[in-house]
Amino acid sequence: MSLDWIYFAISWILLTWHSAWDAIGVPVDAVIGTNFAWILAIVFLVVSVRVILFPVFVKQIKSQRAMQALQPKVKELQEKHKGDRETLQKEMMELYRKEKANPLMGCLPMFLQIPVFLGLFHVLRRLDPFKPEDKKTIYGWTVDQFNSASNAKLFTAPLSGKFGSTAEDLARLGANGTTVKVIAGVLVLVMIATTYLTSRQMILKTGWAEDPQQRMIQRLMLYGIPASLLISGSIFPIGVIIYWVTNNLFTLAQQQWVLRKFPPPVTAKKATAPAATRSPVQPAKAGGLFGRGKAAPAAPVKATAPKVAGPKPGAKPANPKKSRPAKRQG
């Protein structure tokens, strides 16, 4: 299956945003070693993709809420079918089908962005100023646009440069090897950190899943993907890393807004206070249905006379007559 349609779509969005920034007056030539019009074109490629995928993101949040509400039932199934993994999986899949919850929905937005990532990776990898003229005009580019993008830089590091670029590649791009490695290395570290934070932010708010399959996906998102970027990040062009970091920052802001506006449901376990921590006596409030009246007075407590201790076992009973004074005889 040809992926040319993805390359055309990515190129069209990049070129449209670059033309928009150029028309607004953003400098096309490098300022402090940076071509801001092309940097902003990549940033707003992220914005365009996230706006298109926003309905999918809403479905992701709804699915996560449904999964969270099912945690007590999932725990019951785990206790019921402990030791019978096959039956447990069947019962859980039936529960998800019945409740219309999908444990894989949490990864769907990321999976849908993979074609965009691969398309941008392919387009930026083509940015070689020494390519033949006929190779510069594919995917809707003009020769001038291609040459402009080929010479675009971030602090003098070409957007098509990589941490793992060879000396020959750097010479073709007219770039300094140390500068490219420093810029690319810092961006890779920021990419790893923000990737970790996006997963951590969601897990801290929603908690670890009871379902082993869902928990495995959470661990993969939290630890596996950031760890893999430590190696694979060396082959990503700087422009692709800018896309990834921008996407992570957008995700952090979007998740923060959604989690604040629609907080995760409180589970019954958290909502019910332990019996030991409750106050033994709580005065009831009067005032009818809305509870706006004054607190009802507590029931009167009858005063009880103090108990008098009886005589100790074996002691002689006290004779009250002996304690009376003797009568005088007249």
Side-chain angles (χ1 to χ4, degrees):
M1 179 181 176
S2 175
L3 296 178
D4 283 356
W5 66 274
I6 296 177
Y7 307 146
F8 273 103
I10 297 301
S11 297
W12 182 83
I13 296 174
L14 279 176
L15 294 174
T16 300
W17 278 114
H18 180 265
S19 300
W21 296 120
D22 187 17
I24 291 172
V26 175
V28 177
D29 297 328
V31 178
I32 59 172
T34 303
N35 297 88
F36 286 101
W38 284 111
I39 300 296
L40 288 172
I42 294 174
V43 170
F44 277 81
L45 169 64
V46 175
V47 175
S48 302
V49 172
R50 295 309 296 261
V51 168
I52 294 171
L53 293 180
F54 185 76
V56 179
F57 179 77
V58 173
K59 288 184 178 180
Q60 175 196 17
I61 295 297
K62 289 182 178 179
S63 177
Q64 288 173 339
R65 294 290 186 268
M67 292 296 300
Q68 217 175 348
L70 289 177
Q71 292 307 307
K73 294 183 180 180
V74 170
K75 198 166 185 179
E76 288 178 9
L77 289 176
Q78 289 173 340
E79 293 294 330
K80 182 179 178 182
H81 302 290
K82 186 180 294 184
D84 189 353
R85 189 175 184 83
E86 184 177 352
T87 305
L88 175 62
Q89 289 297 329
K90 288 181 180 179
E91 292 287 338
M92 288 176 59
M93 293 306 294
E94 179 62 23
L95 176 64
Y96 293 151
R97 186 194 63 79
K98 182 179 178 181
E99 300 293 337
K100 297 180 180 179
N102 187 353
L104 299 177
M105 181 61 73
C107 302
L108 185 59
M110 184 189 71
F111 289 148
L112 290 178
Q113 290 184 76
I114 290 177
V116 180
F117 173 81
L118 294 176
L120 182 62
F121 181 90
H122 176 81
V123 170
L124 292 180
R125 194 175 56 177
R126 293 179 50 249
L127 297 179
D128 182 354
F130 294 98
K131 276 186 178 294
E133 297 292 317
D134 60 328
K135 297 292 185 181
K136 294 180 179 181
T137 55
I138 61 174
Y139 309 140
W141 292 69
T142 66
V143 174
D144 290 340
Q145 289 170 334
F146 186 94
N147 290 334
S148 175
S150 299
N151 294 311
K153 296 177 174 62
L154 174 66
F155 301 121
T156 72
L159 296 185
S160 57
K162 305 181 289 289
F163 184 87
S165 294
T166 64
E168 182 182 354
D169 293 335
L170 294 172
R172 185 181 295 111
L173 295 171
N176 180 278
T178 302
T179 302
V180 171
K181 289 186 182 300
V182 169
I183 298 297
V186 171
L187 287 174
V188 167
L189 293 177
V190 175
M191 176 176 65
I192 293 171
T194 52
T195 301
Y196 170 80
L197 289 175
T198 54
S199 298
R200 182 175 180 270
Q201 181 189 50
M202 186 63 73
I203 292 174
L204 285 179
K205 292 291 185 180
T206 60
W208 287 95
E210 296 287 346
D211 177 15
Q213 183 181 8
Q214 186 74 3
R215 185 182 287 258
M216 182 181 68
I217 293 174
Q218 286 179 321
R219 285 178 176 167
L220 175 64
M221 298 287 289
L222 185 62
Y223 302 115
I225 293 178
S228 67
L229 293 176
L230 190 61
I231 300 173
S232 60
S234 63
I235 66 171
F236 294 160
I238 289 174
V240 171
I241 303 176
I242 292 172
Y243 172 88
W244 194 306
V245 171
T246 305
N247 185 64
N248 286 343
L249 295 175
F250 196 99
T251 301
L252 283 169
Q254 192 176 54
Q255 286 182 170
Q256 182 65 23
W257 178 80
V258 171
L259 292 171
R260 180 175 295 180
K261 192 171 181 64
F262 306 104
V266 179
T267 59
K269 186 176 181 181
K270 293 181 180 179
T272 306
T277 62
R278 297 179 194 159
S279 175
V281 179
Q282 293 183 354
K285 289 186 178 181
L289 177 65
F290 299 101
R292 294 182 180 176
K294 296 181 180 179
V301 181
K302 294 181 179 180
T304 56
K307 294 182 179 181
V308 180
K312 295 181 180 180
K316 293 181 179 182
N319 189 355
K321 294 182 178 180
K322 290 184 178 182
S323 62
R324 297 176 183 174
K327 294 182 180 181
R328 293 182 182 180
Q329 296 182 3

